[in-house]
Amino acid sequence: MTTSEFKHVTYSWDDAVAAELDAVGRLIYRSNLLGADGRITNTGGGNTSAKLTEADPITGEKVEVLWVKGSGGDLRTSKRENFSNLYQAKLLSLQSLYAKAENSGPKTEAEDKMVALCAQTTFNLNPRASSIDTPLHSFVPFKHVDHTHPNAVIALAASKDGEALTKEIYGDDVIWTPWQRPGFELGLVLQDVVKAHPQARGVILGGHGLINWADDDKACYELSLELIEKAARFIESKDKGDNTFGGAKYQSLDEAARRAQLIEILPWLRGQVSQKQRFIGTIQDDEKTLRFVNSADAPRLAELGTSCPDHFLRTKIKPLYIDWNPQTEDGAALKAKLTAGLEQYRADYAAYYESCKRADSPAMRDPNPTVILIPGLGLIAWGKDKSESRVTAEFYGCAIEVMRGAEAISSYQALPQQEAFDIEYWLLEEAKLQRMPKEKELARQVIAVIGAG
Ligand SMILES: [Zn+2]
């Protein structure tokens, strides 16, 4: 594919810029380019790596070092300090240690222990905590690896016929793997895929996203774009037009009417969802969001929930959809439906927690929704601050695109509840939450209003 042919992603590689950079600088450059296009990956989502040869600080010997985006941070804004670097040989040696573990396999303590041991492979005292995805990058035997969450590819990854469609779109170039929680075992799966399919250049991670590789960094970047472009074109060829999401059931209110309705309900609604902890809301009412919330299929699809783990960690297992008719019902009816909807949502969330919890699961978190969908108005996303609520809104926007694509080419499938729960309440995720800086004393309490005078 030549660079001018990309329609669904932005090609930004500039040889002149890359030529000025050292090897790590080129990895950062590639990461920033991938992260800058929301169709390639979501905010904070995905990671990149390069296996470079460096001198060991003690022996001076040349060793292979894996530079991989560390835990937290965002590809678009990543700098050198956002990458961890690890001895590749030591990472590989974890496999023989793991093989000796008595009770191993996906989601075992032995598996989680391997992720913790990755920190022991640190090269040159780099303090950046390594990501849960480190084994995915280490065990793929190519110099450069990109892992992204493109909406078009997740649509394929969350399709009922994902495996057959992967074959149809990519032939033998890209291999399908069923959903598996990220971690050491998924790294081993990828290693086996590469062994069994030496011609493969990438993998569709079922229910999750894309991973692809090359021995040259520019080739790896171009391959990421090419694979995403192919999925997006396939979806475009099956686009359902006006019948997307089963067609429109309701019409959007015009912007002034939307604003008036939101002004009427938002202060009250914020109080309703903030009973446990205070939230800030972000309204999203662009064309794509409105088409979804107004559609005939919105209640069915909303109930299924989101798919990519990155998405549902913010959007929760599912949003709250309110079946309010913006053409015939008033604000009082909307409030009554929101009250009943919130009550039902909290009960559903508690039931989900009770039915999926394990002996060592952390306590149930706030059962209020973080995303509320209202026909005619759009979506309201909630977070501890403006930035978190904005990202939650972005992620549900991604989920809408994923569902649109999946329903165009097949039918959308969310992750099974237990799998979603095992991510949401994963002890390693809990540890990540605990590591976050403690909120400031007046966080969630003070809002600055600018330009209101
Ligand atoms: Zn991922």
Side-chain angles (χ1 to χ4, degrees):
M1 202 172 272
T2 62
T3 55
S4 58
E5 284 178 80
F6 293 109
K7 281 198 315 183
H8 299 275
V9 283
T10 307
Y11 183 96
S12 308
W13 187 278
D14 183 339
D15 280 329
V17 174
E20 298 291 312
L21 303 167
D22 67 4
V24 178
R26 289 174 71 102
L27 171 63
I28 296 162
Y29 176 61
R30 179 172 113 227
S31 309
N32 295 164
L33 294 187
L34 290 169
D37 186 341
R39 297 163 299 181
I40 294 176
T41 206
N42 56 304
T43 299
N47 29 57
T48 45
S49 67
K51 298 179 184 82
L52 307 175
T53 304
E54 295 190 43
D56 183 278
I58 293 178
T59 64
E61 245 176 78
K62 296 276 184 219
V63 289
E64 193 169 35
V65 177
L66 174 74
W67 282 79
V68 56
K69 202 205 92 179
S71 185
D74 179 40
L75 282 179
R76 182 176 63 85
T77 54
S78 273
K79 299 186 171 64
R80 206 166 281 249
E81 59 266 28
N82 295 103
F83 285 79
S84 52
N85 52 355
L86 310 155
Y87 284 97
Q88 168 69 356
K90 285 190 185 180
L91 283 167
L92 292 175
S93 75
L94 290 176
Q95 291 189 23
S96 45
L97 186 66
Y98 186 64
K100 287 184 209 134
E102 268 185 18
N103 182 14
S104 62
K107 298 192 204 169
T108 56
E109 225 173 276
E111 190 198 9
D112 284 359
K113 218 173 128 190
M114 289 299 122
V115 174
L117 279 175
C118 285
Q120 299 289 346
T121 70
T122 297
F123 176 85
N124 205 15
L125 306 178
N126 184 339
R128 169 61 56 180
S130 62
S131 142
I132 198 87
D133 289 335
T134 299
L136 278 64
H137 290 267
S138 173
F139 301 168
V140 168
F142 286 83
K143 294 268 181 247
H144 300 276
V145 178
D146 290 343
H147 165 51
T148 51
H149 299 154
N151 295 335
V153 173
I154 306 174
L156 177 60
S159 282
K160 195 165 164 246
D161 312 307
E163 184 167 8
L165 291 169
T166 297
K167 190 105 189 141
E168 187 179 339
I169 298 170
Y170 301 111
D172 294 331
D173 253 9
V174 176
I175 308 299
W176 167 269
T177 53
W179 158 258
Q180 183 160 328
R181 188 169 73 173
F184 201 81
E185 283 279 348
L186 187 55
L188 295 176
V189 167
L190 289 174
Q191 182 172 263
D192 290 346
V193 166
V194 177
K195 236 179 244 164
H197 306 275
Q199 83 296 338
R201 300 191 294 159
V203 162
I204 303 293
L205 301 165
H208 179 170
L210 173 67
I211 186 161
N212 52 264
W213 50 80
D215 276 331
D216 173 78
D217 56 359
K218 182 182 171 188
C220 191
Y221 170 79
E222 290 183 340
L223 178 61
S224 293
L225 267 60
E226 182 190 323
L227 299 180
I228 298 165
E229 177 77 21
K230 277 190 175 162
R233 284 188 188 186
F234 186 76
I235 291 168
E236 192 181 35
S237 74
K238 311 266 177 186
D239 187 76
K240 291 187 168 167
D242 288 345
N243 276 329
T244 298
F245 300 131
K249 183 178 172 193
Y250 301 116
Q251 306 303 315
S252 297
L253 296 176
D254 66 40
E255 200 182 341
R258 288 205 298 273
R259 291 283 167 266
Q261 190 58 258
L262 287 166
I263 287 168
E264 189 186 327
I265 61 154
L266 273 179
W268 168 83
L269 183 56
R270 183 165 168 265
Q272 297 300 303
V273 298
S274 299
Q275 287 166 356
K276 228 180 146 164
Q277 44 186 347
R278 292 173 185 229
F279 283 120
I280 302 287
T282 290
I283 312 296
Q284 193 159 284
D285 57 356
D286 57 292
E287 278 305 311
K288 284 179 177 172
T289 303
L290 286 167
R291 178 169 68 170
F292 178 69
V293 297
N294 292 338
S295 73
D297 287 344
R300 172 179 68 83
L301 291 168
E303 186 63 25
L304 290 177
T306 50
S307 192
C308 177
D310 249 29
H311 297 169
F312 70 67
L313 279 170
R314 291 291 179 99
T315 63
K316 280 220 160 108
I317 178 84
K318 64 175 183 183
L320 168 59
Y321 168 84
I322 300 293
D323 195 358
W324 175 70
N325 186 333
Q327 274 69 54
T328 61
E329 294 184 284
D330 63 5
L334 178 56
K335 268 190 185 177
K337 288 189 169 181
L338 278 163
T339 303
L342 283 166
E343 212 167 290
Q344 185 62 48
Y345 188 95
R346 293 182 198 115
D348 286 355
Y349 188 82
Y352 151 75
Y353 179 83
E354 282 305 317
S355 77
C356 297
K357 73 174 179 193
R358 297 177 186 275
D360 56 352
S361 292
M364 188 178 89
R365 305 209 178 99
D366 190 337
N368 283 293
T370 56
V371 176
I372 299 180
L373 309 173
I374 308 176
L377 298 181
L379 79 76
I380 308 161
W382 304 96
K384 67 176 179 192
D385 52 24
K386 178 71 189 154
S387 157
E388 191 181 271
S389 68
R390 192 201 61 74
V391 170
T392 301
E394 176 201 320
F395 286 10
Y396 203 77
C398 291
I400 291 172
E401 272 299 280
V402 166
M403 292 185 280
R404 180 186 69 81
E407 291 278 307
I409 59 179
S410 170
S411 54
Y412 172 69
Q413 267 193 326
L415 280 185
Q417 283 213 339
Q418 186 67 55
E419 290 299 322
F421 181 90
D422 288 343
I423 290 268
E424 189 179 350
Y425 284 90
W426 192 359
L427 294 176
L428 294 183
E429 285 294 340
E430 176 75 6
K432 211 155 106 185
L433 290 177
Q434 299 300 341
R435 271 205 307 271
M436 302 239 290
K438 212 170 165 300
E439 282 187 40
K440 299 239 166 65
E441 202 179 333
L442 292 177
R444 305 178 191 246
Q445 311 281 332
V446 179
I447 294 173
V449 178
I450 299 167

